[in-house]
Amino acid sequence: LAMYSDLPDPAFYYSFGKQGNTWNYLINKKSTDTCMLQQKISDVPSDGSFNGTVANSCGWPWQHKLFYWYLDPVMYTMFDESGNGAVAASFPIDVTPGRVYTYIHGSDTTQVTLVARYQEVTVPAGNYICSKYRIVEPADSVKSGNKTDYFLWISNQFGIIKKEVTTPQSQNDISTQLLLNKNF
């Protein structure tokens, strides 16, 4: 007698949210300079909520800043840096490929589109199967009219693997962000 389960395979869930998880990225700037960026989950204040720090050696105006995520099996949400709960972008597991999802922050709008599922991507940390998203967001504010257009490759098990910016605004901006290593 065989057992049948209609539950999805856990490999399809977002599962990288654990206190202490750390990602180190190699950053290539538009200027061709390179530097490092580190993300670390430092606090889990409630079920599904994760806070952490981002540190960089890139010469950006901040050395350390906070990040806020919500992560459950079927939704990965990045909140803006203010900590007031404004959604920067969200990545539902059941997102429809090609459909544009819009997130509004005050007078700014971010658009997220799933471009491809199950795409293999190679970075210094290895090979990963990812979903590829296109994100278009204001570069500074709606007043400037400049938009940042980039792609994110997200692994359900390991988080953000790669970022490729198609419209870096200055020589100091990210051109690519590649996962160098992680501690899990």
Side-chain angles (χ1 to χ4, degrees):
L1 182 64
M3 297 288 284
Y4 173 77
S5 172
D6 60 353
L7 297 175
D9 182 339
F12 293 109
Y13 290 155
Y14 288 124
S15 59
F16 53 88
K18 303 217 176 11
Q19 189 166 0
N21 280 2
T22 303
W23 298 259
N24 291 301
Y25 296 98
L26 173 65
I27 302 295
N28 295 297
K29 295 181 182 181
K30 181 179 178 181
S31 67
T32 71
D33 290 342
T34 61
C35 57
M36 301 294 295
L37 184 134
Q38 181 184 77
Q39 287 186 304
K40 181 178 183 177
I41 296 175
S42 55
D43 190 25
V44 183
S46 66
D47 191 29
S49 295
F50 298 88
N51 300 337
T53 56
V54 181
N56 80 83
S57 66
C58 300
W60 294 326
W62 52 271
Q63 287 290 318
H64 300 276
K65 67 179 180 178
L66 298 177
F67 70 81
Y68 305 93
W69 293 345
Y70 177 78
L71 188 65
D72 69 18
V74 296
M75 178 77 72
Y76 169 37
T77 299
M78 296 185 293
F79 295 98
D80 73 7
E81 300 166 8
S82 69
N84 67 6
V87 173
S90 209
F91 307 94
I93 288 283
D94 63 350
V95 67
T96 302
R99 180 174 171 210
V100 176
Y101 293 82
T102 303
Y103 301 91
I104 299 172
H105 330 275
S107 58
D108 292 334
T109 302
T110 297
Q111 297 176 327
V112 177
T113 307
L114 175 64
V115 175
R117 289 189 199 271
Y118 313 115
Q119 187 174 71
E120 185 171 2
V121 63
T122 301
V123 294
N127 298 325
Y128 296 87
I129 301 299
C130 297
S131 293
K132 179 181 178 183
Y133 294 90
R134 179 179 181 215
I135 294 93
V136 179
E137 65 185 10
D140 293 311
S141 73
V142 76
K143 294 175 188 168
S144 72
N146 292 332
K147 299 285 185 186
T148 300
D149 192 341
Y150 61 96
F151 294 93
L152 279 182
W153 284 261
I154 300 175
S155 161
N156 294 357
Q157 291 84 27
F158 303 111
I160 296 172
I161 303 300
K162 180 179 176 181
K163 178 179 183 177
E164 188 174 285
V165 180
T166 57
T167 57
Q169 301 296 315
S170 76
Q171 292 297 311
N172 207 27
D173 283 353
I174 294 174
S175 179
T176 59
Q177 172 181 316
L178 307 170
L179 182 64
L180 191 59
N181 57 56
K182 57 182 180 41
N183 71 345
F184 61 99

